[in-house]
Amino acid sequence: MLKWLQMLAEYNHWANERLYEASSKLSDTQYREDRGAFFASMHGTLNHLLIGDRIWLSRFVGGKNEPRELDGILFESFQDLWQARRQEDARIKAYIASLDEPKLTATITYRTTRSPTVIEQELGPLLVHFFNHQTHHRGQAHCILTGLTGEAPSLDLFVYQRETGDSIIRGHGNLSRAPERRPG
């Protein structure tokens, strides 16, 4: 499992860079426009992704300063948010690199954000949720980009694997870095 989590940490950074690069081409109006996504806009969605990562990483390391508002805005400036995203991705990779297999079966105890429920859970499955949560909201961001521009970068894990060679035994797939375009 540890090898997969290390791959997911690298993939997370790769996907976020692609997403932020594409988002950097939006006008400020487009970036902040309510597109009907769960966190309304690209601005809200990207901030939520960072909030979620900070909440979970704080829980994983036993921190006490996790954000309390899931829809909060940590950074108004896109460039500041991107810089914070890069720093968080580096923290995530360093944290995953610090783990060993026995730590993945250890438990952590945390209080849920939406209610005062105390949960004790194995770390490994929580890390799977952590990376899945990022993919879920990046999918929403992908939809926002596609709706605004008609295209968005591919964020598929297999594209990452083929570009980097991670877990590939033979071949590379001849993938293009061209964005995905909405059909029709």
Side-chain angles (χ1 to χ4, degrees), residues 37-160:
F38 197 82
F39 292 97
S41 63
M42 183 64 79
H43 180 62
T45 301
L46 295 178
N47 267 281
H48 172 72
L49 270 163
L50 185 59
I51 287 169
D53 288 354
R54 286 185 172 178
I55 288 170
W56 282 110
L57 203 54
S58 176
R59 291 172 180 172
F60 298 152
V61 301
K64 303 290 185 216
N65 296 323
E66 65 185 58
R68 302 301 324 158
E69 300 296 323
L70 296 175
D71 61 349
I73 299 299
L74 297 175
F75 296 92
E76 281 296 334
S77 157
F78 175 78
Q79 290 301 323
D80 291 345
L81 182 59
W82 195 353
Q83 181 60 34
R85 172 77 268 164
R86 286 176 168 152
Q87 291 170 351
E88 197 69 14
D89 288 347
R91 287 183 61 220
I92 291 166
K93 290 193 296 186
Y95 173 70
I96 296 297
S98 76
L99 298 175
D100 56 27
E101 291 290 343
K103 288 180 184 174
L104 297 178
T105 59
T107 62
I108 68 166
T109 302
Y110 62 93
R111 184 175 300 280
T112 60
T113 304
R114 293 185 178 162
S115 68
T117 305
V118 174
I119 306 287
E120 182 177 6
Q121 191 171 353
E122 284 185 13
L123 178 60
L126 275 175
L127 288 166
V128 172
H129 162 74
F130 174 68
F131 289 116
N132 184 65
H133 177 261
Q134 296 163 350
T135 299
H136 167 70
H137 287 294
R138 276 194 300 263
Q140 293 175 343
H142 189 279
C143 186
I144 292 169
L145 279 171
T146 304
L148 288 168
T149 68
E151 63 184 40
S154 176
L155 302 176
D156 284 331
L157 178 61
F158 78 86
V159 173
Y160 162 78

